[in-house]
Amino acid sequence: MFRPILPLLVFIAASVPSAGQHWVGSAGINYGTYSMKSLKELQEATLESDIPLEIVESFPSRAGFEFSILRTLGNFSVGATASQASTGGRVSYADYSGSINHDIIVNNTIAAIQLENNLAKKEAWELLFSMRSGVAFNTMKYNTTLSIGNETDNLGEKFKSINFVISAGIGARFFYNKIFVHPEFRYETHLAKGDLHYSDDSDVALEVNNERVQVGWDGIRLSLSLGYRL
């Protein structure tokens, strides 16, 4: 019963290489916006003090890096990608007698599977739809620095969590021989955000206003990479 199908399967398998198979690797920088709703609430809770503290920085956009390697099969590509991002916030007060700073520094490293589909393809360029799905490993440092006169005290805590990520975008590759430039625009959503736990005690979670604190990296991503096609 399967014999008539076998030649068709052999033909399909043999025809895949004719569509064009190659490896595509790239590395570059990214720049993003971050929601950070939970961490902004943590900053606002810090203001509830007898000291007239002010928020002077609240998780601005910063440059990160990313790289990917894909196997292209005709108009489709599949592979792996990794990226890094960081940002921070500061609550501060200073006068003639000294200063106090509460600093939040957050970083993530994402490891993901990447799928691409060619929307248009020419010899010197191609337009792509991309989808990434993976895991974000988050770390956060909460540092307090108190300076009075010539004396300075530092107190710091470290936290960690894991988010599950999905990101969709539109990009292009512009070729010069086998070298290419790859700009991309996408939106990154952290579908499931893990609670921040103390690095020294994973059973204890960080809370603000009786709610557990999470790291919200949701936002727009712009990236520019340089790559090579084998």
Side-chain angles (χ1 to χ4, degrees):
M1 179 176 66
F2 295 101
R3 288 182 180 178
I5 302 176
L6 183 60
L8 178 61
L9 295 177
V10 172
F11 173 76
I12 293 173
S15 65
V16 170
S18 66
Q21 291 187 0
H22 48 258
W23 290 97
V24 175
S26 63
I29 59 173
N30 60 51
Y31 189 77
T33 63
Y34 318 114
S35 60
M36 296 297 174
K37 179 177 180 293
S38 189
L39 292 185
K40 289 178 180 178
E41 292 176 352
L42 178 61
Q43 279 191 309
E44 292 172 358
T46 307
L47 300 178
E48 299 174 5
S49 168
D50 294 333
I51 301 173
L53 295 163
E54 294 183 0
I55 297 174
V56 296
E57 188 174 52
S58 190
F59 311 103
S61 301
R62 289 181 181 170
F65 70 88
E66 59 182 62
F67 68 89
S68 66
I69 183 165
L70 305 169
R71 179 65 167 171
T72 295
L73 304 170
N75 289 326
F76 294 91
S77 301
V78 61
T81 182
S83 63
Q84 186 274 339
S86 64
T87 187
R90 168 170 285 193
V91 176
S92 180
Y93 173 75
D95 61 19
Y96 68 92
S97 62
S99 65
I100 183 170
N101 294 313
H102 298 288
D103 293 317
I104 298 173
I105 303 168
V106 284
N107 296 273
N108 82 1
T109 300
I110 295 176
I113 299 298
Q114 181 166 332
L115 302 174
E116 289 184 348
N117 181 32
N118 282 101
L119 302 177
K121 189 172 184 178
K122 300 294 182 180
E123 183 177 351
W125 61 270
E126 55 190 14
L127 182 65
L128 309 161
F129 171 78
S130 68
M131 178 70 70
R132 303 180 184 186
S133 181
V135 180
F137 301 93
N138 307 307
T139 61
M140 188 188 94
K141 296 180 181 179
Y142 192 103
N143 298 323
T144 297
T145 304
L146 176 63
S147 297
I148 299 177
N150 295 325
E151 295 187 5
T152 300
D153 288 329
N154 294 289
L155 178 64
E157 295 285 356
K158 295 181 180 180
F159 306 85
K160 58 184 178 181
S161 67
I162 296 176
N163 294 357
F164 292 95
V165 185
I166 189 168
S167 177
I170 297 291
R173 292 192 183 100
F174 299 96
F175 290 94
Y176 178 75
N177 294 328
K178 293 184 178 183
I179 299 173
F180 63 84
V181 176
H182 178 38
E184 187 176 42
F185 170 88
R186 64 182 186 273
Y187 189 86
E188 186 173 293
T189 302
H190 288 235
L191 295 174
K193 301 179 179 70
D195 301 328
L196 282 168
H197 289 261
Y198 285 83
S199 295
D200 295 335
D201 190 345
S202 59
D203 293 329
V204 180
L206 179 64
E207 295 187 356
V208 58
N209 300 325
N210 296 319
E211 293 186 0
R212 293 192 171 187
V213 179
Q214 302 168 338
V215 186
W217 295 98
D218 310 76
I220 293 170
R221 300 291 186 272
L222 300 174
S223 65
L224 182 65
S225 300
L226 183 65
Y228 189 81
R229 179 173 64 187
L230 295 176

